[in-house]
Amino acid sequence: MRTVLAPALRAEWIKATSLRSIWLCLAIFVVGVAGIGIAVVASIGDVEARQPDYDPSTVAFYGLNFGHVAVIVLAVLLTAGEYNRHTIHASLVAVPKRAAFLAAKLGVGAVLVLLASAFAVPLTLLTARAVLGPTAVPVTEPAMLRSAVAAVLYVTLLTVLCMNIAMLIRNQAGAIGLLVPFFFLLSPLLELVPVVQEAAAFLPDRAGATALRLESRPTDPFGPLTAMGVVICWAVASGIGAWAALRHRDA
Protein backbone atom coordinates (compact mmCIF):
# COMPACT_ATOMS: atom_id res chain seq x y z
CA MET A 1 0.00 0.00 0.00
CA ARG A 2 2.77 2.45 0.94
CA THR A 3 4.68 1.86 -2.31
CA VAL A 4 1.50 2.57 -4.29
CA LEU A 5 0.34 5.56 -2.24
CA ALA A 6 3.36 7.83 -2.84
CA PRO A 7 3.11 7.75 -6.67
CA ALA A 8 -0.69 8.07 -6.39
CA LEU A 9 -0.34 11.18 -4.22
CA ARG A 10 2.12 12.67 -6.69
CA ALA A 11 -0.20 11.98 -9.61
CA GLU A 12 -3.25 13.42 -7.83
CA TRP A 13 -1.28 16.51 -6.83
CA ILE A 14 -0.26 17.13 -10.44
CA LYS A 15 -3.82 16.60 -11.67
CA ALA A 16 -5.31 18.91 -9.06
CA THR A 17 -2.78 21.73 -9.35
CA SER A 18 -2.89 21.70 -13.15
CA LEU A 19 -6.59 22.58 -13.18
CA ARG A 20 -7.20 26.35 -13.21
CA SER A 21 -10.67 25.77 -11.78
CA ILE A 22 -9.14 24.34 -8.59
CA TRP A 23 -6.99 27.45 -8.06
CA LEU A 24 -10.03 29.61 -8.80
CA CYS A 25 -12.07 27.78 -6.15
CA LEU A 26 -9.28 28.22 -3.59
CA ALA A 27 -8.99 31.93 -4.41
CA ILE A 28 -12.77 32.41 -4.12
CA PHE A 29 -12.73 30.56 -0.81
CA VAL A 30 -10.00 32.79 0.68
CA VAL A 31 -11.61 35.99 -0.61
CA GLY A 32 -15.07 34.87 0.49
CA VAL A 33 -14.08 33.81 4.00
CA ALA A 34 -11.77 36.74 4.71
CA GLY A 35 -13.58 39.41 2.68
CA ILE A 36 -17.12 38.70 3.88
CA GLY A 37 -15.96 38.10 7.44
CA ILE A 38 -14.09 41.41 7.56
CA ALA A 39 -17.02 43.23 5.93
CA VAL A 40 -19.45 41.86 8.53
CA VAL A 41 -17.10 42.81 11.38
CA ALA A 42 -16.69 46.32 9.98
CA SER A 43 -20.43 46.85 9.50
CA ILE A 44 -22.01 45.30 12.60
CA GLY A 45 -19.07 44.26 14.78
CA ASP A 46 -19.44 47.12 17.27
CA VAL A 47 -23.18 46.54 17.61
CA GLU A 48 -22.79 42.78 18.07
CA ALA A 49 -20.02 43.27 20.65
CA ARG A 50 -22.53 45.03 22.94
CA GLN A 51 -24.99 42.13 22.86
CA PRO A 52 -25.12 39.83 25.93
CA ASP A 53 -24.84 36.68 23.79
CA TYR A 54 -22.01 38.05 21.65
CA ASP A 55 -19.65 35.44 20.23
CA PRO A 56 -16.81 37.02 18.22
CA SER A 57 -16.12 33.82 16.29
CA THR A 58 -19.64 33.80 14.86
CA VAL A 59 -19.19 37.30 13.47
CA ALA A 60 -15.59 36.92 12.28
CA PHE A 61 -16.19 33.58 10.58
CA TYR A 62 -19.47 34.57 8.95
CA GLY A 63 -17.74 34.28 5.58
CA LEU A 64 -17.43 30.52 6.07
CA ASN A 65 -21.13 30.23 5.22
CA PHE A 66 -20.28 31.41 1.70
CA GLY A 67 -16.91 29.66 1.62
CA HIS A 68 -18.87 26.39 1.74
CA VAL A 69 -19.83 26.85 -1.90
CA ALA A 70 -16.22 27.13 -3.11
CA VAL A 71 -15.19 24.11 -1.02
CA ILE A 72 -18.07 22.02 -2.37
CA VAL A 73 -17.28 22.89 -5.99
CA LEU A 74 -13.60 22.10 -5.45
CA ALA A 75 -14.43 18.76 -3.84
CA VAL A 76 -16.76 17.81 -6.68
CA LEU A 77 -14.28 18.83 -9.38
CA LEU A 78 -11.58 16.65 -7.82
CA THR A 79 -13.80 13.57 -7.57
CA ALA A 80 -17.01 13.44 -9.63
CA GLY A 81 -15.24 15.63 -12.17
CA GLU A 82 -13.17 12.60 -13.15
CA TYR A 83 -16.34 10.84 -14.26
CA ASN A 84 -17.55 13.85 -16.27
CA ARG A 85 -14.14 14.28 -17.94
CA HIS A 86 -13.98 10.50 -18.59
CA THR A 87 -10.54 10.31 -16.97
CA ILE A 88 -11.57 7.92 -14.20
CA HIS A 89 -10.72 4.83 -16.29
CA ALA A 90 -7.18 6.04 -16.96
CA SER A 91 -6.74 6.99 -13.30
CA LEU A 92 -7.79 3.53 -12.10
CA VAL A 93 -5.54 1.84 -14.66
CA ALA A 94 -2.62 3.92 -13.33
CA VAL A 95 -3.60 3.17 -9.69
CA PRO A 96 -5.44 -0.17 -9.69
CA LYS A 97 -5.55 -0.33 -5.88
CA ARG A 98 -8.72 1.64 -5.33
CA ALA A 99 -8.12 2.27 -1.64
CA ALA A 100 -4.82 3.99 -2.50
CA PHE A 101 -6.51 5.91 -5.31
CA LEU A 102 -9.23 7.24 -2.98
CA ALA A 103 -6.79 7.97 -0.15
CA ALA A 104 -4.52 9.93 -2.49
CA LYS A 105 -7.41 11.93 -3.90
CA LEU A 106 -8.79 12.75 -0.45
CA GLY A 107 -5.32 13.60 0.86
CA VAL A 108 -4.57 16.07 -1.93
CA GLY A 109 -7.96 17.78 -1.63
CA ALA A 110 -7.62 18.01 2.14
CA VAL A 111 -4.10 19.50 1.95
CA LEU A 112 -5.12 22.13 -0.60
CA VAL A 113 -8.06 23.32 1.51
CA LEU A 114 -6.05 23.04 4.73
CA LEU A 115 -3.42 25.41 3.33
CA ALA A 116 -6.02 27.84 1.99
CA SER A 117 -7.96 27.91 5.26
CA ALA A 118 -4.75 28.20 7.31
CA PHE A 119 -4.17 31.44 5.40
CA ALA A 120 -7.74 32.75 5.36
CA VAL A 121 -8.57 32.16 9.03
CA PRO A 122 -5.64 34.10 10.62
CA LEU A 123 -6.08 36.84 8.02
CA THR A 124 -9.73 37.19 9.01
CA LEU A 125 -9.04 37.23 12.75
CA LEU A 126 -6.12 39.66 12.60
CA THR A 127 -8.00 42.08 10.36
CA ALA A 128 -11.15 41.79 12.47
CA ARG A 129 -9.13 42.65 15.57
CA ALA A 130 -7.66 45.70 13.83
CA VAL A 131 -11.15 46.85 12.80
CA LEU A 132 -12.77 46.36 16.22
CA GLY A 133 -9.86 47.73 18.23
CA PRO A 134 -10.25 47.51 22.04
CA THR A 135 -13.60 45.68 21.84
CA ALA A 136 -12.01 42.72 20.04
CA VAL A 137 -11.11 39.49 21.80
CA PRO A 138 -7.31 39.00 21.63
CA VAL A 139 -6.29 36.45 19.02
CA THR A 140 -3.94 34.89 21.58
CA GLU A 141 -6.81 34.03 23.94
CA PRO A 142 -6.96 30.20 24.33
CA ALA A 143 -10.63 30.09 23.33
CA MET A 144 -9.99 32.15 20.21
CA LEU A 145 -6.99 30.03 19.26
CA ARG A 146 -9.11 26.91 19.66
CA SER A 147 -11.81 28.44 17.49
CA ALA A 148 -9.26 29.31 14.79
CA VAL A 149 -7.87 25.76 14.77
CA ALA A 150 -11.41 24.39 14.69
CA ALA A 151 -12.24 26.59 11.68
CA VAL A 152 -9.27 25.24 9.72
CA LEU A 153 -10.01 21.62 10.65
CA TYR A 154 -13.74 21.95 10.02
CA VAL A 155 -13.34 23.26 6.48
CA THR A 156 -10.77 20.54 5.73
CA LEU A 157 -13.07 17.80 7.04
CA LEU A 158 -16.01 19.28 5.13
CA THR A 159 -13.93 19.00 1.95
CA VAL A 160 -13.24 15.32 2.66
CA LEU A 161 -16.95 14.72 3.33
CA CYS A 162 -18.01 16.41 0.09
CA MET A 163 -15.38 14.53 -1.90
CA ASN A 164 -16.67 11.23 -0.54
CA ILE A 165 -20.29 12.10 -1.34
CA ALA A 166 -19.29 13.19 -4.85
CA MET A 167 -17.51 9.84 -5.32
CA LEU A 168 -20.75 8.12 -4.35
CA ILE A 169 -22.86 10.18 -6.76
CA ARG A 170 -20.29 10.07 -9.60
CA ASN A 171 -21.91 13.00 -11.37
CA GLN A 172 -20.63 16.58 -11.20
CA ALA A 173 -23.96 18.38 -11.64
CA GLY A 174 -25.79 15.95 -9.37
CA ALA A 175 -23.27 16.31 -6.56
CA ILE A 176 -23.25 20.12 -6.70
CA GLY A 177 -27.04 20.14 -7.00
CA LEU A 178 -27.31 18.11 -3.81
CA LEU A 179 -24.53 19.55 -1.65
CA VAL A 180 -24.87 23.30 -2.26
CA PRO A 181 -28.60 23.55 -1.42
CA PHE A 182 -28.18 21.22 1.55
CA PHE A 183 -25.33 23.10 3.25
CA PHE A 184 -26.34 26.59 2.12
CA LEU A 185 -30.11 26.41 2.65
CA LEU A 186 -31.64 23.22 4.03
CA SER A 187 -29.34 22.56 6.99
CA PRO A 188 -29.52 26.14 8.41
CA LEU A 189 -33.32 26.08 8.04
CA LEU A 190 -33.63 22.75 9.86
CA GLU A 191 -31.82 24.26 12.84
CA LEU A 192 -34.65 26.81 13.15
CA VAL A 193 -37.41 24.18 13.31
CA PRO A 194 -38.05 23.36 17.00
CA VAL A 195 -39.13 19.77 16.34
CA VAL A 196 -35.85 18.80 14.64
CA GLN A 197 -33.56 21.42 16.15
CA GLU A 198 -31.69 19.01 18.41
CA ALA A 199 -31.26 16.42 15.66
CA ALA A 200 -30.12 19.10 13.20
CA ALA A 201 -27.24 19.93 15.54
CA PHE A 202 -25.67 16.62 14.49
CA LEU A 203 -25.52 17.63 10.82
CA PRO A 204 -21.90 18.24 9.75
CA ASP A 205 -22.11 21.96 9.08
CA ARG A 206 -24.20 22.66 12.21
CA ALA A 207 -21.73 20.68 14.31
CA GLY A 208 -18.92 22.60 12.63
CA ALA A 209 -20.56 25.90 13.57
CA THR A 210 -20.78 24.72 17.18
CA ALA A 211 -17.10 23.73 17.14
CA LEU A 212 -16.17 27.30 16.14
CA ARG A 213 -18.02 29.00 19.00
CA LEU A 214 -16.11 30.26 22.00
CA GLU A 215 -18.92 29.14 24.29
CA SER A 216 -21.80 26.75 23.76
CA ARG A 217 -25.34 28.09 23.45
CA PRO A 218 -28.12 26.83 25.74
CA THR A 219 -29.70 25.07 22.75
CA ASP A 220 -26.51 23.18 21.82
CA PRO A 221 -26.66 19.49 22.84
CA PHE A 222 -22.85 19.32 23.08
CA GLY A 223 -19.77 21.50 23.37
CA PRO A 224 -17.18 22.56 20.78
CA LEU A 225 -14.86 19.57 21.20
CA THR A 226 -17.67 17.03 20.90
CA ALA A 227 -18.96 18.96 17.87
CA MET A 228 -15.61 18.53 16.14
CA GLY A 229 -15.83 14.82 16.91
CA VAL A 230 -19.21 14.73 15.16
CA VAL A 231 -17.69 16.31 12.03
CA ILE A 232 -14.85 13.76 12.11
CA CYS A 233 -17.39 10.93 12.34
CA TRP A 234 -19.20 12.27 9.26
CA ALA A 235 -15.93 12.41 7.30
CA VAL A 236 -14.90 8.89 8.34
CA ALA A 237 -18.35 7.37 7.69
CA SER A 238 -18.58 8.96 4.24
CA GLY A 239 -15.04 7.77 3.49
CA ILE A 240 -16.02 4.19 4.29
CA GLY A 241 -19.05 4.52 2.03
CA ALA A 242 -17.02 6.00 -0.83
CA TRP A 243 -14.39 3.26 -0.52
CA ALA A 244 -17.02 0.50 -0.51
CA ALA A 245 -18.76 1.97 -3.56
CA LEU A 246 -15.50 2.48 -5.46
CA ARG A 247 -14.40 -1.07 -4.62
CA HIS A 248 -17.59 -2.81 -5.76
CA ARG A 249 -18.74 -0.66 -8.65
CA ASP A 250 -17.30 -0.42 -12.14
CA ALA A 251 -15.80 2.90 -13.13
Side-chain angles (χ1 to χ4, degrees):
M1 176 72 172
R2 190 177 302 174
T3 57
V4 178
L5 188 57
L9 282 167
R10 193 179 306 113
E12 289 299 328
W13 180 265
I14 292 171
K15 283 194 293 184
T17 55
S18 62
L19 291 172
R20 283 179 293 181
S21 55
I22 298 300
W23 293 109
L24 181 60
C25 286
L26 291 171
I28 292 174
F29 170 76
V30 172
V31 172
V33 171
I36 294 175
I38 293 166
V40 170
V41 169
S43 58
I44 64 171
D46 289 337
V47 176
E48 288 293 322
R50 292 193 290 268
Q51 302 300 318
D53 59 346
Y54 170 63
D55 192 318
S57 65
T58 304
V59 178
F61 294 137
Y62 190 80
L64 280 176
N65 297 309
F66 301 91
H68 283 162
V69 178
V71 165
I72 290 169
V73 173
L74 180 144
V76 171
L77 288 174
L78 289 176
T79 48
E82 289 242 32
Y83 291 93
N84 282 66
R85 295 189 298 269
H86 304 291
T87 58
I88 186 67
H89 300 89
S91 296
L92 291 175
V93 168
V95 187
K97 290 189 178 296
R98 300 194 175 193
F101 170 72
L102 179 62
K105 193 170 282 294
L106 294 177
V108 168
V111 167
L112 287 172
V113 174
L114 178 70
L115 294 174
S117 56
F119 174 75
V121 167
L123 175 64
T124 303
L125 290 179
L126 291 173
T127 309
R129 174 165 173 74
V131 170
L132 287 176
T135 61
V137 176
V139 180
T140 54
E141 283 284 330
M144 186 58 78
L145 287 174
R146 178 194 54 74
S147 179
V149 172
V152 174
L153 291 178
Y154 160 62
V155 177
T156 304
L157 290 167
L158 182 68
T159 303
V160 172
L161 170 63
C162 292
M163 291 178 73
N164 288 325
I165 293 175
M167 286 297 290
L168 287 167
I169 296 175
R170 302 199 300 179
N171 180 275
Q172 196 168 283
I176 292 176
L178 171 68
L179 292 169
V180 171
F182 179 81
F183 286 118
F184 200 68
L185 181 63
L186 182 59
S187 181
L189 287 177
L190 287 175
E191 191 183 33
L192 301 177
V193 180
V195 178
V196 296
Q197 189 176 56
E198 189 168 338
F202 287 87
L203 293 173
D205 60 318
R206 297 301 93 200
T210 301
L212 266 59
R213 294 191 182 97
L214 301 191
E215 296 182 3
S216 301
R217 301 173 302 178
T219 56
D220 292 333
F222 40 69
L225 293 179
T226 303
M228 185 55 66
V230 171
V231 181
I232 292 172
C233 288
W234 275 101
V236 172
S238 64
I240 294 171
W243 172 76
L246 186 62
R247 183 184 179 189
H248 293 103
R249 290 192 308 200
D250 292 332

